[in-house]
Amino acid sequence: MNNLPASFFPRALLLLSIIFVYASCAAAKSAEATEYLMGTRVFIRVAPCGRDAQADIQEIIQEIRRFDAAASAHRENSFPARLARDGEANFTNEEEKSILLPMLREAFAFARASGGAFDPFIGKLSKLWGFSSLAMRAEPPRADEIAQALAASGHQKLLRLDEDGMAVARHTELDLGAIAKGEMLDRAAARLYAWGYRRALLNFGGDVYVIGDRIDAEGEPWRIAVQHPRKAQAYLGVARIQDGAMATSADDERFFIHEGKRWHHILNPFTGLPASEAVSASVIGPRAALADALATALFVLGADRGLALLAQYPGYHALFVFMSNDILQERMSPGFADAAGWKAAE
Ligand code: AMP
Ligand code: MG
């Protein structure tokens, strides 16, 4: 025994535990949970991986609650609520800062990169349109109301964003609705990876992150169907993804019909009206936060300008659906079909 190197046993044990964990991760069992959080349906499914999967899922759900409490504009005294009230808000503790600062930095960098199509300061407008509240409007706001809310939007209203917090122009309100689900998906996935999970599916209100292979089929990528924007229970096609995200922005998520016209929740920050260049935009890529923000920006920009923006982000690919002469048309970015292993529905 004394002749063995001191590190022999720990190393052998480590090897054994790796084999054990790998074997248990390959099992076709799964643990899952569904909750309504962040104003949306949150679904998590993992292949147990030598740990208490239910406890791990519950820990992620608790993290989503804290994330929502910090990031939601609708919660009393949240950072966005304080910012709307005072024009300035400082982070009150390390947790609030660690949740918000990276997301805010990414949101404003992307707002500039998108030429303002993605606007984290769309808050006043989206409140006016009412898509984020439970009581949906029956008709569009008046033009003067839109003009007033529009004057308070635009990423240029940012006066300060630093380690302490941020300051904005008067009346400007933050709305992180177009990036927060993606950001939270990335956080949840990072936890699962760190805990050693090798197969998982996270679906937060239609934005998805997958880890590894499907739980029920070794060697098979996850299949993610893209909802048909005009037919319930129908889909446009199926993407095959391993370790990556897909986010979709679509005009059928939250909308009302007034005098035969559809008014939906993705707003054009230049007009203050629902964006009309697309019907849906799906983006795949390695990070969900960027896929989420890109999907919203691409929806606003439409296929031509959207594809030009997308080309600046290697590894991200998109599928657009738009209306032309009353017919739904599709357009993919050059790498989409390959990267997504895309199979169109018959
Ligand atoms: P998504 O479903 O990711 O496209 O996000 C839509 C949500 O983001 C809306 O409900 C608004 O809260 C917000 N939003 C709407 N239009 C924009 C925009 N042009 N830029 C950034 N956020 C937006
Ligand atoms: Mg989005």
Side-chain angles (χ1 to χ4, degrees), residues 178 249 292-293 296:
S249 287
D292 190 359
T296 307

Side-chain angles (χ1 to χ4, degrees), residues 2-42:
N2 284 343
N3 296 336
L4 290 170
S7 61
F8 177 82
F9 280 103
R11 224 181 270 166
L13 275 177
L14 186 68
L15 197 65
L16 271 177
S17 65
I18 288 171
I19 290 166
F20 170 74
V21 167
Y22 187 78
S24 66
C25 294
K29 287 188 297 184
S30 67
E32 62 180 58
T34 306
E35 296 264 344
Y36 284 84
L37 301 164
M38 299 192 291
T40 198
R41 180 175 174 271
V42 166

Side-chain angles (χ1 to χ4, degrees), residues 45-66:
R45 171 181 285 166
V46 303
C49 202
R51 296 175 52 98
D52 183 343
Q54 264 310 333
D56 287 344
I57 290 174
Q58 288 312 317
E59 193 167 330
I60 290 175
I61 286 171
Q62 289 311 325
E63 185 176 349
I64 300 174
R65 286 190 212 283
R66 292 195 299 274

Side-chain angles (χ1 to χ4, degrees), residues 27 63 96 100 103 108 118 124 138 149 192 196 204 222 233 338:
E63 185 176 349
E96 188 175 59
L100 291 168
M103 177 163 52
F108 284 97
F118 177 87
K124 263 255 152 58
L192 291 176
F204 295 1
W222 288 95
Q233 315 294 334
D338 263 2

Side-chain angles (χ1 to χ4, degrees), residues 206-275:
D207 289 353
V208 172
Y209 191 98
V210 295
I211 294 180
D213 294 342
R214 269 167 60 186
I215 291 175
D216 60 340
E218 177 139 36
E220 285 287 319
W222 288 95
R223 291 182 304 199
I224 304 167
V226 178
Q227 163 77 42
H228 191 293
R230 289 292 176 271
K231 288 188 211 153
Q233 315 294 334
Y235 54 93
L236 296 170
V238 176
R240 290 172 165 70
I241 298 181
Q242 267 162 320
D243 296 292
M246 174 181 264
T248 296
S249 287
D251 71 1
D252 62 340
E253 285 174 45
R254 268 170 278 154
F255 66 94
F256 60 83
I257 306 273
H258 177 69
E259 293 177 351
K261 190 169 159 39
R262 180 186 293 258
W263 304 89
H264 62 84
H265 74 303
I266 301 164
L267 301 170
N268 181 331
F270 306 106
T271 63
L273 302 174

